[in-house]
Amino acid sequence: MSFIFGGRPQPSSAEKIAAAETEIEMVSDMFNRLTQSCAKKCIPPDYREGDLNKGESVCLDRCVSKFFEVNMKVSEKMQNEAAGRQSMSGGMGYGM
């Protein structure tokens, strides 16, 4: 009943669990894409050493940094667009 007084209704335990599971799936997917993409770009398939050499290490560091930078920019843009749509649709329902 808190939504009557301006608050949002509290999610149930099942909704919290579902949200946590979704978040874990999203993080796992992002990690897998990051790993596959950067390994493909930076580590040759015919590696001969067990350790990364300096060039591979620098490449991976830059790749991971760029991946997260792009991911943050895309997330911010999507959030801004969603907020813009929400504010536009929120103002149309009143006064009718």
Side-chain angles (χ1 to χ4, degrees):
M1 299 263 298
S2 64
F3 62 91
I4 294 173
F5 300 107
R8 293 187 333 190
Q10 296 298 316
S12 69
S13 292
E15 291 171 330
K16 289 179 184 178
I17 291 170
E21 288 174 345
T22 301
E23 186 173 355
I24 288 171
E25 287 176 14
M26 290 172 55
V27 170
S28 296
D29 179 60
M30 183 177 68
F31 176 78
N32 289 334
R33 286 185 290 120
L34 165 73
T35 303
Q36 290 172 352
S37 176
C38 291
K40 187 176 180 182
K41 290 178 185 177
C42 299
I43 301 174
D46 61 342
Y47 58 89
R48 296 176 192 92
E49 301 172 11
D51 296 332
L52 295 173
N53 64 36
K54 184 164 177 88
E56 292 166 342
S57 181
V58 169
C59 179
L60 286 169
D61 186 47
R62 289 180 180 162
C63 182
V64 170
S65 177
K66 288 178 183 179
F67 188 93
F68 281 116
E69 184 179 338
V70 168
N71 192 9
M72 290 299 296
K73 287 181 180 181
V74 169
S75 295
E76 288 173 7
K77 180 135 178 87
M78 290 177 69
Q79 287 176 353
N80 289 340
E81 288 179 5
R85 283 193 305 269
Q86 187 177 22
S87 66
M88 289 178 64
S89 66
M92 296 177 127
Y94 300 111
M96 290 191 162

